[in-house]
Amino acid sequence: MSPSRRARGAALLAALVAATGLASLASPAHAAGSVTCDTAGTMYFKPGVQIVPIRQDIEIRGANGSCRDSTGFGVNEAKLTANFSGVWLTCELGGGGTGHGTGTLDWVLNNGERGRSNLDLNFESNIASEVTLSGQVLGGPLDGKRFSAHLSADLLRGALKCTIGGPFGGAKSVGYHGSFTVG
């Protein structure tokens, strides 16, 4: 075999190995198991949650949290972001609002590679100001898997902002912590 043919063969093999590694991160997952991650961040409300029920646009911005992965993907940490429109919420007993939205999960694998999964989500807030998100991964790592999250809001700070800030727009943001599971 000539040196140029060997070089082309080696380049083709290297490209195939690289493409296979990237494809495993981006391809739909049929792996058994689940990924559970800690999450914390801020929920933003527009126009601001008040004592009376008002439709809110909600943005959830999380920070990277540690994960426990039994899928074999090697997920080390992940960050959740989500957006919902027109969710009726009130400060009184948490509001009990529901809505539909979208989100993303930004993954960091043990080997340093990164990936992103899109989410189709449902939002539900109960009377204890606990938020439940449920839905499905649509594209990216773990495509087709179920998603669920339980988030606890910073109730004392949120309630104070809600009551005192009522005439000026109410609670525009509140901290949260919790966890989410994919699988």
Side-chain angles (χ1 to χ4, degrees):
M1 186 181 289
S2 72
S4 67
R5 281 185 102 180
R6 268 187 268 196
R8 281 191 299 232
L12 181 61
L13 180 60
L16 181 61
V17 167
T20 304
L22 292 176
S24 69
L25 179 64
S27 67
H30 300 292
S34 63
V35 177
T36 300
C37 302
D38 299 324
T39 186
T42 305
M43 287 184 209
Y44 296 91
F45 307 100
K46 189 175 181 180
V49 181
Q50 300 181 27
I51 293 174
V52 296
I54 297 176
R55 290 185 129 190
Q56 302 292 325
D57 292 337
I58 303 168
E59 180 182 2
I60 296 174
R61 282 192 231 160
N64 278 2
S66 63
C67 299
R68 293 151 307 283
D69 180 5
S70 66
T71 66
F73 266 121
V75 174
N76 185 43
E77 45 184 56
K79 176 174 71 173
L80 169 68
T81 58
N83 291 286
F84 302 90
S85 294
V87 179
W88 288 93
L89 289 178
T90 177
C91 298
E92 291 297 309
L93 300 175
T98 61
H100 182 260
T102 59
T104 58
L105 291 172
D106 290 305
W107 305 102
V108 179
L109 302 183
N110 293 330
N111 64 7
E113 287 186 54
R114 296 179 179 272
R116 176 175 275 185
S117 297
N118 297 315
L119 300 169
D120 179 54
L121 295 171
N122 295 305
F123 176 99
E124 183 175 335
S125 172
N126 68 20
I127 61 172
S129 291
E130 301 290 320
V131 172
T132 300
L133 306 178
S134 62
Q136 186 170 0
V137 176
L138 300 176
L142 303 172
D143 182 36
K145 297 281 189 177
R146 300 291 305 154
F147 172 89
S148 63
H150 181 81
L151 312 176
S152 297
D154 183 348
L155 299 178
L156 178 59
R157 244 182 55 173
L160 283 173
K161 285 182 182 179
C162 195
T163 305
I164 295 169
F168 306 105
K172 295 195 182 270
S173 65
V174 65
Y176 75 86
H177 65 278
S179 65
F180 62 82
T181 300
V182 176

